[in-house]
Amino acid sequence: MARRLFGTDGVRGVAGEFLSAELTLALARAATARVARSAAGNRPRVLVIRDTRESGEMLEAAVAAGVAAAGGLALLGGVLPTPAAPLLIGRYGFDLGVVLSASHNPFADNGVKFFGADGDKLSDAVEEEIEALLDLQPAQPAAIGGVSQLHGTLDDYLRELQTRFGGLDLSGRRILLDCAHGATYKAAPEIFRRLGAHIDVLADAPDGRNINAGCGSTHLDQLVDAMRAGGHDAGFAFDGDGDRVLAVDGNGTVVDGDELIALSALHLRAQGRLRGNGVAVTVMTNYGFHSAMAEAGIEVATTNVGDRYVLEALRQRDWAFGGEQSGHIVELGYAPSGDGIASALLTLEALGGSALSDRQGMEKLPQRLVNVRLPDRRALERAAEDAQMQAAIVRESQLLEGRGRVLVRASGTEPLLRVMVEAPSDDEADAVCGRLVGQAEAAAAQPAG
């Protein structure tokens, strides 16, 4: 069955419009009813957490009503980073977790993400089951459920972080945090303080509408400027729901997920903690990462873009570490999801006493990424499948073999052909990218056959 509502990361859209209270209630009711089938007569216990968007309380109430209508007990954990959900599910044995967040999107958007009793996001098949239940008359439960506040969730989450990084002494370290006016605004400063760091914080005053607005991991300018002003060993920027992080060093240079993963992978291997001696990353990962891992003798698995594909690759190989260039980094020994705060702490653990500007993880190759916008999906298909376009990709790839790479792929959501080139120099990357973009535009301009 084709999914109508669920995307790659839950159900997401403008709150109050596409993502209405009615739809949110129905999703929560269907998901809880599905869990109740296998609950052996026990009332399903459902964790509900959210980020700082102004629509969060409305949707939280809708989820609570849906859970209770299906006979479950909704336990409201308040504002917490998304990665707190699997950790709390594991600690308390919840049957289901619901996170209300649209991650790095603007405040007007919101989303519903479900986590299973194992702490994983639900599979495509389970999401399809939930959608199918929306079309059916809801079954009347044996008894109406309830709604309760779950107190102490922030402390529980901080306790998990402190257990994982309790041996990390950040005394004397000066760290700058950008909390995106989002879900990390309390948790991130607190754990860094507990570990001894002197911290300064940007974007830690959410008002419901300023989440991700000119701040956080998608808008790094203010963090870059503050780092260039001096006085900090490292700066970290989280996204709105706290499942990813990017860094900035003392020179104002952005350190993306590729570099953070490389630095941490080398550290974990040196500590004998890189399970399977392998790392899973996506097709967007910089060629320099692959070179660094090959030199270190670390195996790399490459997946499609998306954290769920990284997780699949890790589980298939019984590995524990991987992530994306966007800063979504997974350490399965800690939690089955990306955690921006944990990734920042792992970076500092890997650095030892060094500043981020002294990192030695990988040498990034210059990368050029151009999105060629086409009139429609048919033009996109013509450009992607054109014989001359395919020949150009092969030709440019051969010219860069052993020195860089070419990646051309169609967007799954928009009529865009994404052309990415990595080469040893900026000039060569620009030249190769320019030739491929020109060929793509010429192919799209050809009349339909």
Side-chain angles (χ1 to χ4, degrees), residues 184-205:
T184 63
Y185 82 103
K186 288 183 179 179
E190 179 60 25
I191 189 61
F192 276 83
R193 289 191 187 101
R194 289 188 185 186
L195 295 175
H198 174 91
I199 63 160
D200 294 296
V201 188
L202 305 171
D204 63 338

Side-chain angles (χ1 to χ4, degrees), residues 76-435:
L76 309 184
V79 173
L80 284 174
T82 290
L87 292 170
L88 292 174
I89 288 170
R91 172 177 280 270
Y92 292 109
F94 295 121
D95 301 292
L96 186 69
V98 183
V99 178
L100 298 168
S101 176
S103 189
H104 56 275
N105 286 28
F107 84 92
D109 293 340
N110 215 324
V112 183
K113 307 178 191 180
F114 292 104
F115 289 79
D118 57 0
D120 282 355
K121 293 178 183 177
L122 300 186
S123 68
D124 290 352
V126 172
E127 289 176 346
E128 288 172 7
E129 287 183 44
I130 292 170
E131 286 202 13
L133 288 171
L134 297 180
D135 296 327
L136 303 177
Q137 180 68 30
Q140 187 64 32
I144 297 298
V147 181
S148 297
Q149 295 290 329
L150 184 62
H151 299 289
T153 54
L154 177 60
D155 284 336
D156 287 334
Y157 174 55
L158 292 170
R159 190 178 301 113
E160 295 291 338
L161 287 167
Q162 199 153 9
T163 298
R164 166 62 181 85
F165 295 100
L168 179 60
D169 183 3
L170 298 180
S171 300
R173 309 300 298 275
R174 296 183 63 88
I175 308 298
L176 182 59
L177 304 176
D178 179 342
C179 294
H181 297 303
T184 63
Y185 82 103
K186 288 183 179 179
E190 179 60 25
I191 189 61
F192 276 83
R193 289 191 187 101
R194 289 188 185 186
L195 295 175
H198 174 91
I199 63 160
D200 294 296
V201 188
L202 305 171
D204 63 338
D207 63 10
R209 292 187 162 220
N210 58 3
I211 185 171
N212 300 315
C215 56
S217 63
T218 52
H219 302 88
L220 292 168
D221 288 351
Q222 69 169 335
L223 182 60
V224 167
D225 290 344
M227 288 299 297
R228 284 177 177 161
H232 296 93
D233 298 302
F236 296 99
F238 308 106
D239 64 339
D241 74 332
D243 66 355
R244 62 178 80 177
V245 66
L246 294 180
V248 178
D249 70 15
N251 301 317
T253 301
V254 175
V255 184
D256 67 13
D258 290 347
E259 289 197 75
L260 298 178
I261 296 166
L263 184 68
S264 296
L266 294 172
H267 163 70
L268 291 171
R269 186 194 176 174
Q271 296 291 312
R273 292 158 48 199
L274 186 64
R275 193 167 79 208
N277 196 43
V279 180
V281 293
T282 77
V283 293
M284 297 301 294
T285 296
N286 192 274
Y287 185 84
F289 176 91
H290 293 271
S291 298
M293 295 300 102
E295 184 176 342
I298 296 174
E299 189 177 351
V300 178
T302 302
T303 78
N304 291 330
V305 174
D307 64 292
R308 66 169 58 200
Y309 301 113
V310 172
L311 277 168
E312 285 176 8
L314 293 177
R315 291 207 165 95
Q316 286 170 2
R317 292 164 173 79
D318 194 26
W319 295 353
F321 191 64
E324 300 185 88
Q325 193 177 73
S326 62
H328 197 126
I329 301 171
V330 178
E331 185 187 4
L332 282 178
Y334 167 66
S337 69
D339 187 324
I341 298 174
S343 299
L345 293 172
L346 178 58
T347 298
L348 293 172
E349 182 182 273
L351 287 169
S354 300
L356 185 59
S357 55
D358 295 327
R359 65 192 179 279
Q360 294 183 348
M362 58 174 275
E363 289 292 330
K364 288 185 68 175
L365 265 65
Q367 184 185 88
R368 296 294 178 270
L369 175 61
V370 176
N371 291 322
V372 182
R373 183 167 289 279
L374 301 170
D376 51 38
R377 296 295 300 184
R378 289 184 179 179
L380 176 61
E381 291 170 3
R382 287 200 302 275
E385 298 171 3
D386 180 75
Q388 292 186 4
M389 183 72 210
Q390 293 299 317
I393 294 171
V394 171
R395 182 170 59 252
E396 300 292 358
S397 297
Q398 288 174 341
L399 290 173
L400 285 172
E401 188 172 0
R403 304 182 304 119
R405 65 175 181 137
V406 167
L407 177 66
V408 179
R409 64 186 187 95
S411 167
T413 57
E414 300 177 85
L416 298 175
L417 191 68
R418 305 190 191 279
V419 179
M420 188 185 78
V421 175
E422 291 166 350
S425 70
D426 290 310
D427 289 345
E428 188 172 8
D430 286 335
V432 174
C433 195
R435 291 195 294 267

